Amino acid sequence: MSIFNERIDRRNTSSVKWEATKHLFGEEDLWPMWVADMDFKPPQAVITAIKERVEHGIFGYTFVPPSTSQAIAEWLLKRHQWSIEPNWLLYCGGVVQAISTAIQTFTEEGDHVLLQSPVYTPFFDMIEKNNRKIINAPLILDEDKYRIDFTAFENALKQGCKLFLLCSPHNPGGRVWIKEELEKIAELCLKYNCLILSDEIHSDLVYKKHKHIPIASLNEEIAEKVITFIAPSKTFNLAGLHASAVVIKNETLRTQFQETMRRQGSFSLNTFGITGMEAAYREGEAWLEDLLDYLQKNKDFAISYLKEHLPEITCIDSEGTYLLWLDCRKLGLSDKELRQRLLQKGKLALEPGPKYGPGGEGFVRMNIACPMDDLIEGLKRLKKAFE
């Protein structure tokens, strides 16, 4: 029996997913399949390492030790064939915080920042809340697969974009960008002197037959113009530990980023974030391989269920992440009507597509990183919502 079949009651743990759903969605008794965290325990090695740190009993000021940076470098080399130096790494409490820090560091108020919708909601928030201007080069949905409109992409860069926010793998669409696509992105960003901020938080969650390629690993020239964001939070379900890493090869950019962090009063990670991060990257690989097999079965089941019971809803067959992007446009309902059906009839909380910007209308996002029994319950509620 898979360890991922274990159903763990997350109530009374201040879980956003299980205890904040009523407040956020405004309905009682909702089944939560919205926010992107998993209902699985992390690798036992992580739990053991944190327990041992607790037993030590003193939790004073802590720095990130060289062993943590070395563990990350070894992980990136083994999993993604990306060779980095440990001193390229800086640390933030989370990827969104780090993206905001980069925007503050490398742009001024009013500067243009490029993204590709539909895309992870905080991309919009961090640009707007820092008083920068969003420039959008929307992705093209072609035969249930997102592709980059490079004509629109280049036209956007011509408007003087200082930064490009790349979501790789893509959230919510699940695309794992191939080498040729990444090379074209890099070529155009170099041509127009646009720095690339690459959010690669889902880089370890890629299904077989697909491969994540860090854009900074393409060549030395590109690496000098890329800032990469990674974290164990999605891979190992450690979001509550608030630990992420920023990979910056260019020493000048790295120093500038670090100075902004110092101005913000950010100097290190919390003790348990450091402990959990290192243990995960050192000892979590076997667990991750088992997880990917389990997620593949969940994904296959969900797609099959929809084809049989809800053929009007098309599932974008994701190449990475544990998120399903569901195309509900054939139902002929407005986004408001979709939301009402899901919440009031289905009692199911999913992320509404419009949150992800232009191109998200008529879609919803479902998190399938849960025990199979919970996935089945969610799919039944989805069916009930649209009967």
Side-chain angles (χ1 to χ4, degrees):
M1 179 177 175
S2 172
I3 58 171
F4 302 109
N5 281 326
E6 181 184 1
R7 301 182 76 179
I8 302 166
D9 187 357
R10 297 181 62 187
R11 295 177 179 85
N12 300 313
T13 63
S14 301
S15 165
V16 170
K17 183 175 184 179
W18 285 90
E19 295 181 80
T21 301
K22 176 187 173 183
H23 170 73
L24 294 170
F25 288 84
E27 294 286 339
E28 296 273 4
D29 302 320
L30 296 176
W31 196 248
M33 300 183 77
W34 58 287
V35 71
D37 77 358
M38 298 190 278
D39 289 319
F40 306 134
K41 288 182 180 178
Q44 184 58 44
V46 173
I47 298 172
T48 299
I50 291 174
K51 281 183 176 179
E52 290 175 354
R53 188 65 186 84
V54 168
E55 288 300 317
H56 179 268
I58 297 177
F59 313 114
Y61 293 117
T62 311
F63 64 89
V64 181
S67 59
T68 302
S69 298
Q70 189 62 42
I72 293 171
E74 291 171 4
W75 178 269
L76 292 174
L77 182 61
K78 184 174 184 181
R79 297 294 298 189
H80 306 299
Q81 294 70 59
W82 183 20
S83 179
I84 72 163
E85 296 296 330
N87 66 356
W88 296 358
L89 289 162
L90 299 174
Y91 295 93
C92 275
V95 165
V96 173
Q97 176 191 343
I99 289 171
S100 180
T101 300
I103 290 171
Q104 293 167 23
T105 303
F106 303 113
T107 63
E108 303 290 340
E109 290 195 10
D111 280 348
H112 293 180
V113 180
L114 175 60
L115 51 69
Q116 299 168 305
S117 70
V119 74
Y120 183 47
T121 306
F123 279 20
F124 297 92
D125 295 339
M126 292 305 100
I127 297 171
E128 293 177 330
K129 290 182 185 303
N130 283 295
N131 298 317
R132 276 62 168 174
K133 182 179 178 182
I134 294 170
I135 302 297
N136 188 13
L139 298 170
I140 299 170
L141 185 56
D142 179 20
E143 295 182 352
D144 299 328
K145 187 173 184 176
Y146 280 103
R147 304 186 189 279
I148 297 168
D149 182 341
F150 281 107
T151 299
F153 188 79
E154 183 167 13
N155 286 336
L157 287 170
K158 288 177 180 177
Q159 298 182 50
C161 295
K162 296 288 185 66
L163 298 178
F164 165 53
L165 294 184
L166 172 64
C167 196
S168 178
H170 181 251
N171 172 13
R175 265 306 308 277
V176 176
W177 307 112
I178 61 173
K179 185 178 181 181
E180 289 76 13
E181 290 170 317
L182 295 170
E183 287 176 335
K184 184 66 173 176
I185 288 171
E187 173 193 332
L188 289 170
C189 287
L190 288 173
K191 179 179 177 180
Y192 293 96
N193 194 31
C194 180
L195 192 64
I196 300 170
L197 306 184
S198 189
D199 177 358
E200 302 188 12
I201 196 169
H202 290 101
S203 57
D204 299 314
L205 298 167
V206 172
Y207 298 107
K208 289 180 173 62
K209 299 183 180 179
H210 302 284
K211 178 172 176 53
H212 172 73
I213 301 171
I215 191 168
S217 71
L218 292 175
N219 63 52
E220 293 294 317
E221 183 183 18
I222 294 166
E224 294 287 342
K225 297 287 288 184
V226 176
I227 295 173
T228 306
F229 307 96
I230 60 171
S233 51
K234 302 301 181 192
T235 308
F236 300 105
N237 204 30
L238 303 178
L241 295 185
H242 294 283
S244 74
V246 187
V247 189
I248 311 177
K249 180 180 188 294
N250 184 300
E251 185 176 0
T252 300
L253 298 180
R254 190 165 66 248
T255 300
Q256 291 172 333
F257 188 95
Q258 198 165 26
E259 283 301 316
T260 303
M261 289 176 62
R262 286 171 177 160
R263 286 196 300 273
Q264 295 170 341
S266 176
F267 299 99
S268 185
L269 301 178
N270 76 77
T271 301
F272 300 110
I274 296 167
T275 301
M277 173 184 272
E278 181 168 344
Y281 284 130
R282 286 207 181 279
E283 302 182 66
E285 188 169 42
W287 179 94
L288 174 59
E289 292 299 334
D290 290 342
L291 170 71
L292 290 170
D293 288 341
Y294 194 88
L295 291 176
Q296 181 71 59
K297 291 174 183 175
N298 274 8
K299 181 165 76 85
D300 291 344
F301 181 86
I303 291 172
S304 176
Y305 185 97
L306 290 171
K307 285 180 178 177
E308 180 178 353
H309 299 286
L310 288 166
E312 302 89 351
I313 297 179
T314 303
C315 178
I316 307 300
D317 189 0
S318 58
E319 300 166 350
T321 82
Y322 50 72
L323 307 166
L324 292 187
W325 189 232
L326 305 180
D327 185 349
C328 304
R329 292 175 296 178
K330 290 180 182 176
L331 293 170
L333 302 173
S334 68
D335 286 297
K336 182 179 180 181
E337 289 168 331
L338 283 174
R339 177 183 173 85
Q340 288 176 336
R341 289 280 197 99
L342 286 167
L343 297 180
Q344 295 173 11
K345 190 175 179 183
K347 291 294 179 179
L348 178 64
L350 303 180
E351 287 278 37
K355 286 183 64 174
Y356 301 88
E361 302 86 358
F363 286 79
V364 292
R365 194 191 74 172
M366 173 182 279
N367 174 359
I368 60 168
C370 57
M372 176 65 81
D373 287 346
D374 288 6
L375 172 62
I376 292 171
E377 175 65 24
L379 290 169
K380 286 179 178 177
R381 291 180 182 228
L382 183 68
K383 178 184 175 185
K384 182 178 180 182
F386 300 113
E387 281 177 338

